[in-house]
Amino acid sequence: MAPPSGGTLPPQAGAAEDAIDKTTVRGGNPPIEGRAGAAMDSALTTIGLPVALAVIMFGLGLSLTIEDFRRIGQRPKPVAIALAAQLLLLPLVCFGLVTAFDLDPILAVGMMLLAASPGGTTANLFSHLFRGDVALNVTLTAVNSVIAVVTLPVVVNLSIAHFDPAEGGDVGLQLTKTAQVFAIVLVPVAIGMLVRRSSPGFADSADKPVRIASAVVLALVIGGALLAERENLADYLADIGLPATLFCALSLTLGYVLPRLAGVDERQSLSSAFEVGIHNSTLAIAVAISVLDSETLAVPAAVYGVLMFPLALVAGGVIRRMHHGAGRRVPTREGLDYGAERD
Protein backbone atom coordinates (compact mmCIF):
# COMPACT_ATOMS: atom_id res chain seq x y z
CA MET A 1 0.00 0.00 0.00
CA ALA A 2 1.49 3.31 -1.06
CA PRO A 3 1.44 6.11 1.49
CA PRO A 4 -0.42 9.30 0.67
CA SER A 5 1.45 12.38 -0.44
CA GLY A 6 2.03 13.45 3.16
CA GLY A 7 4.42 10.49 3.48
CA THR A 8 2.63 8.69 6.33
CA LEU A 9 -0.09 6.11 6.39
CA PRO A 10 -3.43 7.03 7.95
CA PRO A 11 -4.09 5.21 11.24
CA GLN A 12 -6.66 2.90 9.67
CA ALA A 13 -4.26 1.83 6.92
CA GLY A 14 -1.43 1.29 9.40
CA ALA A 15 -3.64 -0.89 11.57
CA ALA A 16 -4.71 -2.87 8.53
CA GLU A 17 -1.10 -3.51 7.52
CA ASP A 18 -0.24 -4.55 11.09
CA ALA A 19 -3.12 -7.02 11.00
CA ILE A 20 -1.92 -8.40 7.66
CA ASP A 21 1.64 -8.74 8.94
CA LYS A 22 0.48 -10.66 12.00
CA THR A 23 -1.53 -13.13 9.95
CA THR A 24 0.89 -13.77 7.10
CA VAL A 25 3.43 -15.85 8.97
CA ARG A 26 4.61 -19.29 7.84
CA GLY A 27 2.68 -19.53 4.58
CA GLY A 28 -0.41 -17.52 5.57
CA ASN A 29 -1.22 -19.34 8.82
CA PRO A 30 -1.85 -17.35 11.99
CA PRO A 31 1.27 -17.07 14.17
CA ILE A 32 1.69 -19.78 16.76
CA GLU A 33 1.53 -17.28 19.61
CA GLY A 34 -1.94 -16.24 18.43
CA ARG A 35 -3.16 -19.82 18.02
CA ALA A 36 -2.61 -20.60 21.70
CA GLY A 37 -5.36 -18.18 22.68
CA ALA A 38 -6.77 -17.70 26.12
CA ALA A 39 -8.75 -20.93 26.31
CA MET A 40 -6.19 -22.65 28.52
CA ASP A 41 -6.48 -19.83 31.06
CA SER A 42 -9.22 -21.70 32.90
CA ALA A 43 -9.85 -23.13 36.32
CA LEU A 44 -8.10 -26.32 35.24
CA THR A 45 -4.82 -24.59 34.47
CA THR A 46 -4.84 -21.70 36.95
CA ILE A 47 -6.05 -23.62 40.01
CA GLY A 48 -6.14 -27.30 39.12
CA LEU A 49 -2.66 -27.41 37.61
CA PRO A 50 -0.70 -26.25 40.69
CA VAL A 51 -2.83 -28.51 42.89
CA ALA A 52 -2.31 -31.43 40.52
CA LEU A 53 1.44 -30.98 40.52
CA ALA A 54 1.42 -30.68 44.31
CA VAL A 55 -0.38 -34.04 44.54
CA ILE A 56 2.15 -35.69 42.24
CA MET A 57 5.19 -34.27 44.03
CA PHE A 58 3.67 -35.04 47.46
CA GLY A 59 3.21 -38.63 46.30
CA LEU A 60 6.87 -38.72 45.32
CA GLY A 61 7.80 -37.46 48.79
CA LEU A 62 5.75 -40.20 50.44
CA SER A 63 7.98 -42.78 48.74
CA LEU A 64 11.28 -41.11 49.71
CA THR A 65 13.58 -41.43 52.70
CA ILE A 66 17.01 -40.01 53.44
CA GLU A 67 18.35 -43.48 52.61
CA ASP A 68 17.35 -42.95 48.98
CA PHE A 69 19.90 -40.14 48.77
CA ARG A 70 22.58 -42.12 50.64
CA ARG A 71 22.46 -44.87 48.03
CA ILE A 72 24.27 -42.59 45.61
CA GLY A 73 27.48 -43.11 47.56
CA GLN A 74 26.93 -46.86 47.86
CA ARG A 75 26.76 -47.49 44.12
CA PRO A 76 27.20 -44.23 42.22
CA LYS A 77 27.75 -45.45 38.64
CA PRO A 78 24.14 -46.01 37.49
CA VAL A 79 23.04 -42.78 39.16
CA ALA A 80 25.90 -40.76 37.65
CA ILE A 81 25.33 -42.11 34.12
CA ALA A 82 21.58 -41.49 34.18
CA LEU A 83 21.98 -38.00 35.62
CA ALA A 84 24.68 -37.10 33.11
CA ALA A 85 22.44 -38.26 30.27
CA GLN A 86 19.46 -36.33 31.56
CA LEU A 87 21.17 -33.12 32.64
CA LEU A 88 23.81 -32.78 29.91
CA LEU A 89 23.08 -34.98 26.92
CA LEU A 90 19.31 -34.57 26.54
CA PRO A 91 19.35 -30.76 26.29
CA LEU A 92 21.96 -31.09 23.52
CA VAL A 93 19.87 -33.72 21.71
CA CYS A 94 16.77 -31.56 22.04
CA PHE A 95 18.63 -28.49 20.80
CA GLY A 96 19.77 -30.42 17.74
CA LEU A 97 16.21 -31.57 16.99
CA VAL A 98 14.53 -28.18 17.32
CA THR A 99 17.27 -26.62 15.20
CA ALA A 100 17.02 -29.32 12.52
CA PHE A 101 13.22 -28.96 12.34
CA ASP A 102 13.43 -25.15 12.42
CA LEU A 103 10.69 -24.92 15.03
CA ASP A 104 8.97 -21.68 15.82
CA PRO A 105 11.10 -19.99 18.53
CA ILE A 106 8.47 -20.21 21.27
CA LEU A 107 7.91 -23.93 20.60
CA ALA A 108 11.67 -24.46 20.54
CA VAL A 109 11.92 -22.92 24.02
CA GLY A 110 9.01 -25.13 25.12
CA MET A 111 10.89 -28.21 23.94
CA MET A 112 13.99 -27.11 25.82
CA LEU A 113 11.87 -26.57 28.95
CA LEU A 114 10.63 -30.14 28.58
CA ALA A 115 14.19 -31.45 28.10
CA ALA A 116 15.29 -29.69 31.30
CA SER A 117 12.43 -31.16 33.34
CA PRO A 118 13.35 -34.13 35.55
CA GLY A 119 11.88 -37.59 35.43
CA GLY A 120 8.67 -38.10 37.35
CA THR A 121 6.62 -40.67 39.18
CA THR A 122 5.38 -42.03 35.84
CA ALA A 123 8.89 -43.38 35.24
CA ASN A 124 8.61 -45.26 38.54
CA LEU A 125 5.31 -46.79 37.45
CA PHE A 126 6.75 -48.00 34.13
CA SER A 127 9.81 -49.37 35.90
CA HIS A 128 7.56 -51.32 38.26
CA LEU A 129 5.46 -52.59 35.33
CA PHE A 130 8.50 -53.95 33.47
CA ARG A 131 10.33 -55.16 36.62
CA GLY A 132 13.07 -52.59 36.66
CA ASP A 133 14.89 -51.40 39.76
CA VAL A 134 12.21 -49.08 41.14
CA ALA A 135 14.38 -48.01 44.08
CA LEU A 136 16.94 -46.69 41.59
CA ASN A 137 14.17 -44.74 39.86
CA VAL A 138 13.11 -43.25 43.19
CA THR A 139 16.68 -42.16 43.90
CA LEU A 140 17.13 -40.68 40.42
CA THR A 141 13.82 -38.83 40.56
CA ALA A 142 14.63 -37.40 43.98
CA VAL A 143 18.12 -36.20 43.07
CA ASN A 144 17.14 -34.92 39.64
CA SER A 145 14.17 -32.98 41.04
CA VAL A 146 16.49 -31.15 43.44
CA ILE A 147 19.10 -30.42 40.76
CA ALA A 148 16.41 -29.26 38.31
CA VAL A 149 15.64 -26.30 40.56
CA VAL A 150 18.99 -24.89 39.37
CA THR A 151 19.39 -26.41 35.89
CA LEU A 152 15.86 -25.79 34.58
CA PRO A 153 16.04 -21.96 34.88
CA VAL A 154 19.53 -22.01 33.32
CA VAL A 155 18.39 -24.04 30.29
CA VAL A 156 15.22 -21.99 29.82
CA ASN A 157 16.99 -18.63 30.01
CA LEU A 158 19.76 -19.75 27.64
CA SER A 159 17.12 -21.04 25.22
CA ILE A 160 15.23 -17.75 25.31
CA ALA A 161 18.45 -15.85 24.67
CA HIS A 162 19.33 -18.11 21.71
CA PHE A 163 15.95 -18.58 19.99
CA ASP A 164 14.69 -15.07 20.86
CA PRO A 165 10.93 -15.76 20.72
CA ALA A 166 8.61 -12.80 20.19
CA GLU A 167 7.40 -12.97 23.81
CA GLY A 168 10.84 -13.80 25.19
CA GLY A 169 10.97 -10.67 27.30
CA ASP A 170 7.94 -11.85 29.27
CA VAL A 171 8.86 -15.50 29.86
CA GLY A 172 12.35 -15.42 31.34
CA LEU A 173 12.94 -17.16 34.68
CA GLN A 174 14.07 -14.37 36.96
CA LEU A 175 14.93 -14.87 40.63
CA THR A 176 11.35 -14.60 41.86
CA LYS A 177 10.13 -17.07 39.23
CA THR A 178 12.98 -19.43 40.07
CA ALA A 179 11.75 -19.33 43.67
CA GLN A 180 8.33 -20.38 42.37
CA VAL A 181 9.91 -23.37 40.64
CA PHE A 182 11.62 -24.23 43.92
CA ALA A 183 8.29 -24.09 45.74
CA ILE A 184 6.44 -26.09 43.09
CA VAL A 185 9.03 -28.88 43.03
CA LEU A 186 10.52 -29.19 46.49
CA VAL A 187 7.94 -28.06 49.04
CA PRO A 188 5.39 -30.86 48.33
CA VAL A 189 8.25 -33.41 48.20
CA ALA A 190 9.56 -32.22 51.56
CA ILE A 191 6.08 -32.42 53.11
CA GLY A 192 5.66 -35.96 51.79
CA MET A 193 9.03 -36.98 53.25
CA LEU A 194 8.09 -35.48 56.62
CA VAL A 195 4.83 -37.43 56.58
CA ARG A 196 6.73 -40.67 55.84
CA ARG A 197 9.19 -39.97 58.63
CA SER A 198 6.56 -39.08 61.24
CA SER A 199 3.96 -41.66 60.22
CA PRO A 200 5.46 -44.43 58.07
CA GLY A 201 2.37 -46.60 58.44
CA PHE A 202 0.14 -43.91 57.00
CA ALA A 203 2.67 -43.22 54.23
CA ASP A 204 2.72 -46.89 53.26
CA SER A 205 -1.06 -47.14 53.20
CA ALA A 206 -1.41 -43.89 51.25
CA ASP A 207 1.35 -44.66 48.75
CA LYS A 208 -0.70 -46.69 46.27
CA PRO A 209 -3.81 -44.44 46.33
CA VAL A 210 -1.62 -41.38 45.82
CA ARG A 211 0.19 -43.10 42.93
CA ILE A 212 -3.15 -43.86 41.30
CA ALA A 213 -4.32 -40.30 41.93
CA SER A 214 -1.08 -39.00 40.44
CA ALA A 215 -1.61 -41.02 37.26
CA VAL A 216 -5.20 -39.81 36.98
CA VAL A 217 -4.15 -36.21 37.62
CA LEU A 218 -1.43 -36.46 34.98
CA ALA A 219 -3.96 -37.71 32.43
CA LEU A 220 -6.40 -34.93 33.34
CA VAL A 221 -3.77 -32.20 33.10
CA ILE A 222 -2.53 -33.35 29.69
CA GLY A 223 -6.04 -34.03 28.43
CA GLY A 224 -7.29 -30.68 29.68
CA ALA A 225 -4.42 -28.79 28.08
CA LEU A 226 -5.01 -30.50 24.74
CA LEU A 227 -8.81 -30.23 24.96
CA ALA A 228 -8.59 -26.50 25.59
CA GLU A 229 -6.59 -26.19 22.37
CA ARG A 230 -8.58 -28.77 20.38
CA GLU A 231 -9.23 -26.30 17.56
CA ASN A 232 -5.47 -25.88 17.05
CA LEU A 233 -4.45 -29.44 17.91
CA ALA A 234 -3.83 -30.47 14.30
CA ASP A 235 -1.51 -27.48 13.82
CA TYR A 236 0.36 -28.27 17.03
CA LEU A 237 0.80 -31.92 16.11
CA ALA A 238 2.08 -30.91 12.68
CA ASP A 239 4.57 -28.53 14.31
CA ILE A 240 5.75 -30.57 17.26
CA GLY A 241 4.56 -34.17 16.82
CA LEU A 242 7.58 -35.60 14.97
CA PRO A 243 10.25 -33.73 16.99
CA ALA A 244 8.58 -34.78 20.25
CA THR A 245 8.35 -38.40 19.09
CA LEU A 246 12.00 -38.49 18.08
CA PHE A 247 13.07 -36.82 21.31
CA CYS A 248 11.20 -39.38 23.41
CA ALA A 249 12.53 -42.32 21.38
CA LEU A 250 16.11 -41.04 21.55
CA SER A 251 15.81 -40.37 25.28
CA LEU A 252 14.58 -43.90 25.99
CA THR A 253 17.32 -45.38 23.79
CA LEU A 254 20.14 -43.36 25.34
CA GLY A 255 18.82 -44.03 28.81
CA TYR A 256 19.21 -47.76 28.22
CA VAL A 257 22.24 -48.00 25.92
CA LEU A 258 24.63 -45.74 27.85
CA PRO A 259 24.41 -47.66 31.15
CA ARG A 260 24.75 -50.99 29.31
CA LEU A 261 27.89 -49.76 27.57
CA ALA A 262 29.26 -48.78 30.98
CA GLY A 263 28.60 -52.26 32.41
CA VAL A 264 25.44 -51.50 34.40
CA ASP A 265 23.18 -54.54 34.72
CA GLU A 266 20.08 -54.94 32.57
CA ARG A 267 17.53 -54.28 35.27
CA GLN A 268 19.05 -50.97 36.33
CA SER A 269 19.60 -50.00 32.69
CA LEU A 270 15.89 -50.57 32.08
CA SER A 271 15.12 -48.27 35.02
CA SER A 272 17.50 -45.69 33.62
CA ALA A 273 15.75 -45.83 30.24
CA PHE A 274 12.41 -44.91 31.81
CA GLU A 275 13.93 -42.25 34.06
CA VAL A 276 15.75 -40.54 31.19
CA GLY A 277 13.00 -41.09 28.61
CA ILE A 278 9.90 -40.13 30.63
CA HIS A 279 9.96 -36.50 31.65
CA ASN A 280 7.77 -34.79 34.23
CA SER A 281 5.52 -33.17 31.64
CA THR A 282 3.18 -31.93 34.38
CA LEU A 283 6.04 -29.90 35.85
CA ALA A 284 6.91 -28.47 32.42
CA ILE A 285 3.26 -27.51 31.82
CA ALA A 286 2.98 -25.96 35.29
CA VAL A 287 6.17 -23.91 34.85
CA ALA A 288 5.05 -22.77 31.39
CA ILE A 289 1.57 -21.66 32.45
CA SER A 290 1.67 -20.89 36.15
CA VAL A 291 5.22 -19.49 36.40
CA LEU A 292 6.06 -18.18 32.92
CA ASP A 293 2.45 -17.29 32.00
CA SER A 294 2.76 -18.66 28.47
CA GLU A 295 0.26 -21.20 27.17
CA THR A 296 2.21 -21.84 23.97
CA LEU A 297 5.28 -22.93 25.95
CA ALA A 298 3.17 -25.74 27.42
CA VAL A 299 2.24 -27.23 24.04
CA PRO A 300 5.40 -29.39 23.56
CA ALA A 301 5.05 -30.87 27.06
CA ALA A 302 1.35 -31.61 26.52
CA VAL A 303 2.00 -33.33 23.18
CA TYR A 304 4.98 -35.20 24.65
CA GLY A 305 2.86 -36.27 27.62
CA VAL A 306 0.53 -38.11 25.28
CA LEU A 307 3.20 -39.62 23.05
CA MET A 308 5.47 -40.88 25.82
CA PHE A 309 3.02 -43.54 27.05
CA PRO A 310 2.85 -45.71 23.90
CA LEU A 311 6.54 -45.12 23.18
CA ALA A 312 7.54 -46.18 26.71
CA LEU A 313 5.33 -49.27 26.49
CA VAL A 314 6.94 -50.25 23.18
CA ALA A 315 10.44 -49.62 24.55
CA GLY A 316 9.77 -51.68 27.68
CA GLY A 317 8.36 -54.53 25.62
CA VAL A 318 11.27 -54.51 23.17
CA ILE A 319 13.88 -54.52 25.95
CA ARG A 320 12.18 -57.38 27.77
CA ARG A 321 11.96 -59.43 24.54
CA MET A 322 15.66 -58.78 23.91
CA HIS A 323 16.50 -60.23 27.32
CA HIS A 324 14.32 -63.31 26.90
CA GLY A 325 15.34 -63.79 23.27
CA ALA A 326 18.98 -63.94 24.35
CA GLY A 327 18.15 -66.54 26.98
CA ARG A 328 18.77 -64.16 29.87
CA ARG A 329 16.58 -63.58 32.87
CA VAL A 330 16.01 -60.11 34.21
CA PRO A 331 17.87 -60.06 37.53
CA THR A 332 15.83 -60.42 40.67
CA ARG A 333 16.02 -58.11 43.64
CA GLU A 334 18.43 -60.16 45.70
CA GLY A 335 21.95 -58.80 45.88
CA LEU A 336 21.13 -55.42 44.39
CA ASP A 337 22.43 -52.45 46.33
CA TYR A 338 19.28 -50.46 45.78
CA GLY A 339 17.19 -52.78 47.87
CA ALA A 340 13.66 -53.98 47.48
CA GLU A 341 11.05 -52.26 45.36
CA ARG A 342 8.18 -50.35 46.85
CA ASP A 343 4.84 -51.56 45.58
Side-chain angles (χ1 to χ4, degrees), residues 60-75 79 135 138-143 146 186 189-198 200 203 337-338 342:
L60 171 62
L62 282 180
S63 67
L64 291 178
T65 65
I66 298 299
E67 186 62 28
D68 293 316
F69 294 91
R70 290 176 180 161
R71 291 192 186 103
I72 300 172
Q74 297 172 359
R75 193 170 181 183
V79 176
V138 170
T139 299
L140 287 169
T141 301
V143 176
V146 174
L186 295 187
V189 172
I191 293 173
M193 291 182 69
L194 288 174
V195 170
R196 167 162 284 281
R197 183 171 183 177
S198 61
D337 290 350
Y338 279 89
R342 295 187 179 96

Side-chain angles (χ1 to χ4, degrees), residues 86 90 114-130 137 140-141 144-145 218 222 247-253 255-256 270-283 301 304-316:
Q86 193 149 20
L90 289 194
L114 174 68
S117 299
T121 54
T122 308
N124 304 349
L125 295 175
F126 272 97
S127 186
H128 178 76
L129 176 65
F130 288 98
N137 285 100
L140 287 169
T141 301
N144 205 3
S145 296
L218 173 62
I222 294 172
F247 179 61
C248 185
L250 288 171
S251 299
L252 288 163
T253 302
Y256 178 76
L270 178 63
S271 297
S272 174
F274 290 130
E275 192 66 32
V276 174
I278 300 177
H279 290 265
N280 191 338
S281 55
T282 309
L283 173 62
Y304 185 95
V306 174
L307 296 174
M308 70 181 183
F309 286 101
L311 289 172
L313 286 171
V314 170

Side-chain angles (χ1 to χ4, degrees), residues 151-176:
T151 58
L152 190 147
V154 170
V155 171
V156 170
N157 285 332
L158 288 176
S159 301
I160 291 171
H162 177 80
F163 293 107
D164 193 22
E167 57 190 80
D170 299 325
V171 299
L173 273 173
Q174 293 81 30
L175 182 61
T176 54

Side-chain angles (χ1 to χ4, degrees), residues 99-110:
T99 302
F101 280 91
D102 194 24
L103 289 185
D104 185 277
I106 196 67
L107 289 182
V109 175

